[in-house]
Amino acid sequence: LKVPVITIDGPTASGKGTVAQQVADALGFHYLDSGALYRLTALASLKIGIDENDVDTLVELAQDIHIVFREGCVRLDGEDVSLDIRAESVGNRASAIAVHGALRQALIARQRAFRVPPGLVADGRDMGTVIFPDASLKVFLTASVEARADRRYKQLIEKGFSAKLDDLSRDLRARDDRDSQRAAAPLKPADDALTLDTSNLDVDQTVQTVVGWFRERM
Ligand code: C5P
């Protein structure tokens, strides 16, 4: 029997992470934050000083780094980097290296390894299109640039980072463009995805909608 997977894809700051985590909690499923894998590789590459276009070295790095997700914390080679990977500089670097098909390939097995009973909720850009094409439910979350910039601003301030709303909107657009226009696994809804615009929904309403869709399907 296939282990059920719910994929939640969408643009930067669409609320995927929070929603996916809560859907996983509601169903007692595991949770994969695939963006964290790109962010971890990005952080490691910044620390060592690898060029964002040195694909061979990036691929080696992605294979060599030791990653542990536990109780909401992320460890990179033993160090707690839960906060470091959330910096905008790391997100922007993640988006820059995520264009490389060979790097994406190197991260596939790590992502699929999260699919264990009783089930998985996976969030990212290509969860429904590339990583789990046979998912039980595929959701594509969207929200206006304004709503997303506003959410990202609040998140960053809460975490103690400084942020400017104008800069965030500009970076969001740039990242959306790069993520949706790249040749390797571009950001787009899977053909069989259900799209949900969360501009005017709170987290609870979004979680309830997704859980409802899943229950209808099982
Ligand atoms: O979702 P998050 O903002 O943490 O992802 C950081 C970057 O990693 C994204 O801008 C995107 O370029 C890349 N990414 C990706 N595929 C995924 C998850 C993230 O290309 N499945």
Side-chain angles (χ1 to χ4, degrees), residues 4 67 84 93 101 135 160 163-164 174 218:
I67 299 172
D84 309 57
R93 166 57 75 107
K164 288 210 191 88
M218 294 318 280

Side-chain angles (χ1 to χ4, degrees), residues 60-131:
E60 265 177 48
L61 183 68
Q63 282 160 344
D64 290 349
I65 53 179
H66 183 248
I67 299 172
V68 178
F69 291 96
R70 197 183 300 139
E71 288 161 8
C73 285
V74 189
R75 288 181 170 273
L76 172 61
D77 296 330
E79 189 193 343
D80 186 345
V81 294
S82 314
L83 202 56
D84 309 57
I85 60 164
R86 296 299 151 202
E88 279 299 283
S89 54
V90 175
N92 288 327
R93 166 57 75 107
S95 163
I97 63 173
V99 302
H100 302 306
L103 176 67
R104 307 194 66 84
Q105 201 72 34
L107 291 174
I108 289 182
R110 277 196 202 250
Q111 298 174 76
R112 293 195 176 140
F114 279 79
R115 187 175 192 168
V116 286
L120 175 68
V121 183
D123 89 60
R125 304 292 187 292
D126 61 344
M127 297 298 98
T129 50
V130 176
I131 307 298

